[in-house]
Amino acid sequence: MKVLQFPLARITFGFILGILVAFYAKPDINYLLGLLFLSFSLFIVSYFTHKRTIYFGICTYLFVVCLGTITQTVHTDSYQKNNYIHNVSAFEKPQLITLIIREQLKKTNFNDRYIAIINQIGSEKNSGKIIVNLPKDSLNHTFETGSCLQIKGVLIRNKNPDNPNQFDYGNYLEQKQIYAQLYADTEAITIGSVFKKDIWYYISKLRNSIIHNLEKNNFHKKELSVAIALIMGQRQDISPQIIQEYQYAGAIHILSVSGLHVGFILLFLTFILKPIPNTKKGALLKLVIIITCLWIFALIAGLSPSIVRSVTMFSFVAIGYHLRRSVNIYHTLLVSILLILLFQPSFLFDVGFQLSYVALFFIIWFQPLLASLWLPKQKLHKYIWGALTVSFAAQIGTLPLSIYYFHQFPGLFFITNLIIMPLLSFIMVVGVLVMILAAFDYVPLLLVKPLEWSIYYLNKIITTIASFEEFVIHDIPLNFYFLLSSYLLIIASIIWFKKPNFNKLILVLISIIAFQVSYIKTKWDVQNQNEWIVFNQKRSTMFVERNGKNVILYSNESKTISKKNSVLKSYLVGNFSNLKNKKTFKNTAYFNGNKILILDSLGLYPKDIRPDIVILIQSPKINIDRMLAILKPKIIVADGSNYKKIQNNWKESCLKQKIPFHATAEKGFFKLN
């Protein structure tokens, strides 16, 4: 691959390696500063003494890796001394917390949710982002960006997943520099009279003004929520059902503003700026207008990783076009990655950022090869073949990563993209124009109604394709070993396919062996694992016993629990396992030499049994102190079916008698292996 010979490619990979080292190793910042100074000194010395030797290259990469490491560390809020994560009292007892609303999130059934910036906790100045959960009926309105609030409450740290192999929401938040949440009661909220009028405030006001002007002109709510997602990147008001339909149809990417949308906007801007003459001043004016409009659009869309990536890359394309230079798209791609990560290294761990760059790389690298397999002459055939090759290249490139994160594959993705692209082009062009006019409170019916109808038919097409659920492959297990070996196999195969020779064939064979080794290792690991899991589920009880890939489910609702249960499904997929049997649990069980006693609501137990583990379910009416004195268990486990108040009493009794107490509602699932 010639792109790897470009010096910036190796510098970018070194910088990414440094970010990964800082993220996983979490080295001390003082040590890093010393290492950065040393590597920079070696870089300067080698530049003047060994510029054309391998020593200069080694020193350069060492300096770039250190630069990546220090960049990630500096941009990690938890390293800042005034970050609220270091304020221990804020997590232990109620404090008066002063904060500013930054962004509204998707609502839950009970709460309005916001990302907020902390200014002060008690009398101490603090900083950092948190999620604020406010009761829906508390003040009967939503808070605007820039609202200043004082809330008395306790910060709650991000939790680990309640059940095994579930989505780690706490880790997801930490990657976004959010380390805690705050739940507020109505009487604990005081609203400040002053707004913080920064750029986020004005962008939010503009966005809300556009939405309000469209709503008052009777833009249908369902279509409006999709329009706002397509054009402004705001998905808060889209129903979960619509999102699922777009996932099943393989079109979820169009609801996340990315390169596709920015490309349409760039073409639209280029078209309307055509009357400006291509003189030196005219070309410069065009460039300034285009770049300004692209970044205003990025701000309105919330500066998500995918939109930042797209706008950065297209900005470089516009600059290259202005300078009348042929733009090497690989170089543009690398420059945009390096520039974005230099200012926001945490974007590297964002799924959207990863998928968008991988998709774009494979479109650039692999699509021309697919397109060359057939060269149709008719325009309709050219369009169909071009759309198919782009769709296939992107899907092949993102396939392992998509399965790794989402464990499903939409089989009809190529039909979806083929049908919706002309309609989406119309929606984007008209939609951008409508949003611009709506910002000035001018919403012409001649444009609004075609946009609304277009989105209506777009949703109809998506719903129809999504209805063929038999073409959606669900619950595909894939671990990190399979992910790496899959990409090795795909890349090696494409390299060989581009220009076959013996050495490239050897690379393909090595990648096949690597994939087989991944399969053998995974199968070996699974077959040699045995565990007993107590899941955390509200108002219900569920245990599993796993021996290798065979899982036995024990539950008081075993007949009604199916593989579609999200908790059970995540566990089966994550462990490459199958549900072998479903049983109703008994009061005693044995696992790996451990005797397990299960006490249900009756609270009956034999006096002569000596269990290693006692599992309390369905709030049994027992004298906990007497039970502990008689049975003398090694540990007490309480699942999510018990009342919280009773669990607190049990916890106190266990502490007195120095017996470990594990409440799944507090600590998550309990595992015995």
Side-chain angles (χ1 to χ4, degrees):
M1 296 171 66
K2 291 182 180 179
V3 67
L4 295 178
Q5 298 172 6
F6 183 47
L8 191 59
R10 288 168 278 182
I11 290 173
T12 303
F13 293 143
F15 191 79
I16 290 173
L17 177 61
I19 293 174
L20 293 172
V21 168
F23 183 80
Y24 290 106
K26 294 181 172 51
D28 182 80
I29 191 166
N30 294 318
Y31 169 76
L32 286 177
L33 289 171
L35 196 59
L36 180 67
F37 176 76
L38 177 62
S39 62
F40 180 70
S41 301
L42 291 173
F43 168 74
I44 294 297
V45 170
S46 61
Y47 177 81
F48 289 105
T49 58
H50 300 85
K51 188 176 179 180
R52 298 183 182 277
T53 67
I54 193 172
Y55 300 108
F56 175 67
I58 293 172
C59 292
T60 302
Y61 298 140
L62 178 62
F63 170 62
V64 170
V65 170
C66 291
L67 187 62
T69 308
I70 200 71
T71 301
Q72 168 64 18
T73 304
V74 168
H75 282 85
T76 302
D77 288 351
S78 60
Y79 283 100
Q80 308 302 322
K81 290 182 179 179
N82 65 340
N83 188 269
Y84 65 83
I85 197 73
H86 305 298
N87 190 334
V88 178
S89 61
F91 296 90
E92 295 177 344
K93 57 184 179 181
Q95 302 278 342
L96 189 62
I97 301 171
T98 305
L99 50 84
I100 297 169
I101 299 296
R102 167 61 64 83
E103 178 185 348
Q104 184 176 0
L105 300 175
K106 198 173 186 67
K107 301 176 182 179
T108 66
N109 294 332
F110 306 104
N111 294 317
D112 291 331
R113 303 171 68 243
Y114 303 88
I115 293 177
I117 308 296
I118 285 181
N119 280 345
Q120 189 170 324
I121 299 177
S123 59
E124 186 177 339
K125 289 287 184 182
N126 286 115
S127 65
K129 293 189 291 185
I130 63 166
I131 289 182
V132 180
N133 299 270
L134 305 179
K136 279 188 175 180
D137 60 346
S138 59
L139 299 165
N140 296 319
H141 72 275
T142 56
F143 292 105
E144 296 182 41
T145 297
S147 298
C148 296
L149 305 179
Q150 281 191 330
I151 300 175
K152 190 161 188 178
V154 179
L155 296 182
I156 300 173
R157 295 181 190 274
N158 296 333
K159 286 180 63 178
N160 291 325
D162 284 337
N163 292 296
N165 306 107
Q166 278 191 324
F167 172 64
D168 193 341
Y169 186 59
N171 183 58
Y172 168 79
L173 291 179
E174 286 194 13
Q175 290 175 8
K176 294 182 176 295
Q177 314 291 329
I178 300 172
Y179 306 107
Q181 297 196 45
L182 175 63
Y183 291 83
D185 296 324
T186 305
E187 61 275 8
I189 303 171
T190 303
I191 306 174
S193 57
V194 180
F195 283 83
K196 183 177 181 181
K197 296 183 178 181
D198 55 11
I199 188 170
W200 302 106
Y201 169 81
Y202 290 107
I203 290 296
S204 177
K205 292 288 283 186
L206 174 61
R207 194 159 51 215
N208 291 336
S209 174
I210 292 171
I211 295 170
H212 173 71
N213 291 335
L214 291 173
E215 284 176 339
K216 75 179 184 182
N217 282 274
N218 300 316
F219 202 117
H220 193 273
K221 189 174 181 180
K222 183 178 178 181
E223 280 71 43
L224 179 59
S225 66
V226 175
I228 293 168
L230 285 172
I231 300 162
M232 294 196 292
Q234 304 299 305
R235 292 169 51 172
Q236 295 95 327
D237 296 324
I238 300 184
S239 69
Q241 182 184 354
I242 293 177
I243 290 177
Q244 186 182 71
E245 287 173 351
Y246 273 78
Q247 287 175 336
Y248 285 2
I252 191 64
H253 59 282
I254 71 172
L255 293 180
S256 300
V257 176
S258 59
L260 178 68
H261 307 73
V262 178
F264 280 130
I265 291 171
L266 182 60
L267 290 173
F268 177 69
L269 289 171
T270 305
F271 174 75
I272 63 174
L273 293 175
K274 260 190 175 182
I276 298 176
N278 282 324
T279 60
K280 191 173 182 180
K281 290 183 178 179
L284 181 60
L285 179 62
K286 283 184 182 181
L287 177 65
V288 171
I289 292 172
I290 286 173
I291 292 178
T292 302
C293 289
L294 288 180
W295 281 102
I296 289 173
F297 173 72
L299 284 168
I300 294 173
L303 289 179
S304 66
S306 56
I307 188 68
V308 171
R309 183 270 304 170
S310 305
V311 170
T312 302
M313 194 185 69
F314 278 108
S315 296
F316 280 113
V317 170
I319 292 169
Y321 181 76
H322 169 72
L323 296 174
R324 300 289 193 274
R325 294 179 181 176
S326 58
V327 179
N328 186 312
I329 194 65
Y330 292 113
H331 297 180
T332 305
L333 202 66
L334 290 166
V335 169
S336 67
I337 292 174
L338 189 59
L339 192 62
I340 290 169
L341 294 181
L342 193 61
F343 291 97
Q344 281 291 348
S346 60
F347 277 9
L348 180 64
F349 307 100
D350 184 89
V351 178
F353 182 85
Q354 295 170 11
L355 288 172
S356 60
Y357 265 110
V358 169
L360 186 58
F361 172 75
F362 273 86
I363 289 172
I364 296 167
W365 184 49
F366 187 42
Q367 190 271 339
L369 178 62
L370 292 177
S372 66
L373 297 177
W374 181 42
L375 301 173
K377 295 181 180 179
Q378 295 184 12
K379 287 187 177 180
L380 179 62
H381 292 166
K382 281 183 179 179
Y383 163 75
I384 294 174
W385 182 239
L388 282 174
T389 54
V390 168
S391 185
F392 269 105
Q395 200 68 48
I396 289 171
T398 58
L399 180 61
L401 207 57
S402 298
I403 294 175
Y404 178 73
Y405 284 118
F406 308 114
H407 302 290
Q408 67 180 27
F409 174 69
L412 297 178
F413 70 91
F414 58 95
I415 294 177
T416 303
N417 290 321
L418 192 64
I419 295 173
I420 68 172
M421 277 306 162
L423 188 57
L424 186 62
S425 304
F426 175 80
I427 290 171
M428 286 302 300
V429 172
V430 176
V432 169
L433 186 57
V434 166
M435 298 294 171
I436 293 171
L437 294 174
F440 297 97
D441 199 10
Y442 177 64
V443 186
L445 200 65
L446 189 64
L447 290 176
V448 170
K449 282 303 171 185
L451 177 62
E452 186 179 333
W453 294 334
S454 300
I455 295 175
Y456 171 80
Y457 286 112
L458 174 67
N459 288 340
K460 279 288 185 185
I461 293 169
I462 294 296
T463 301
T464 302
I465 296 174
S467 65
F468 296 98
E469 285 195 41
E470 58 270 23
F471 290 98
V472 182
I473 306 172
H474 297 278
D475 307 333
I476 309 171
L478 193 80
N479 58 21
F480 189 68
Y481 301 114
F482 273 128
L483 177 69
L484 292 181
S485 58
S486 296
Y487 271 116
L488 179 61
L489 179 58
I490 290 170
I491 292 171
S493 300
I494 294 173
I495 291 173
W496 176 81
F497 197 54
K498 276 178 172 282
K499 195 173 182 181
N501 60 40
F502 181 74
N503 290 335
K504 293 175 182 177
L505 180 61
I506 293 296
L507 181 62
V508 173
L509 295 175
I510 291 172
S511 66
I512 292 172
I513 293 171
F515 190 85
Q516 291 173 327
V517 169
S518 299
Y519 173 78
I520 293 168
K521 176 175 174 34
T522 301
K523 189 174 181 180
W524 173 267
D525 289 343
V526 170
Q527 286 180 340
N528 287 278
Q529 288 175 349
N530 301 298
E531 58 189 17
W532 172 284
I533 303 285
V534 179
F535 290 95
N536 179 53
Q537 293 206 118
K538 290 184 178 179
R539 296 182 293 278
S540 65
T541 295
M542 189 168 78
F543 315 138
V544 297
E545 180 182 346
R546 181 166 72 89
N547 294 294
K549 67 176 184 178
N550 297 316
V551 172
I552 301 174
L553 170 68
Y554 297 93
S555 175
N556 53 350
E557 303 170 355
S558 59
K559 292 182 179 179
T560 58
I561 291 180
S562 68
K563 290 183 181 179
K564 291 185 178 180
N565 178 286
S566 60
V567 174
L568 181 60
K569 182 172 71 174
S570 297
Y571 180 75
L572 294 175
V573 172
N575 291 282
F576 294 78
S577 303
N578 300 311
L579 184 59
K580 184 180 179 182
N581 202 356
K582 294 190 287 186
K583 297 180 180 180
T584 302
F585 58 80
K586 298 179 181 179
N587 288 102
T588 56
Y590 296 88
F591 182 78
N592 281 1
N594 292 288
K595 187 186 294 184
I596 303 169
L597 174 65
I598 302 167
L599 291 184
D600 57 17
S601 57
L602 297 176
L604 299 176
Y605 56 91
K607 304 294 187 292
D608 56 346
I609 191 172
R610 289 292 179 269
D612 298 291
I613 302 165
V614 174
I615 301 177
L616 304 174
I617 64 173
Q618 301 165 11
S619 303
K621 297 177 181 179
I622 57 172
N623 185 317
I624 185 70
D625 294 305
R626 185 188 304 161
M627 185 271 287
L628 294 175
I630 293 172
L631 300 182
K632 294 182 172 57
K634 295 178 181 177
I635 186 171
I636 298 291
V637 179
D639 76 349
S641 66
N642 299 288
Y643 294 122
K644 186 176 181 180
K645 187 175 180 181
I646 297 176
Q647 290 188 62
N648 292 335
N649 295 333
W650 294 341
K651 185 177 181 179
E652 289 178 8
S653 296
C654 288
L655 285 172
K656 289 177 184 176
Q657 300 199 31
K658 298 181 180 179
I659 295 175
F661 179 78
H662 185 108
T664 61
E666 179 185 350
K667 299 180 179 179
F669 65 95
F670 173 78
K671 181 166 74 171
L672 183 65
N673 52 19

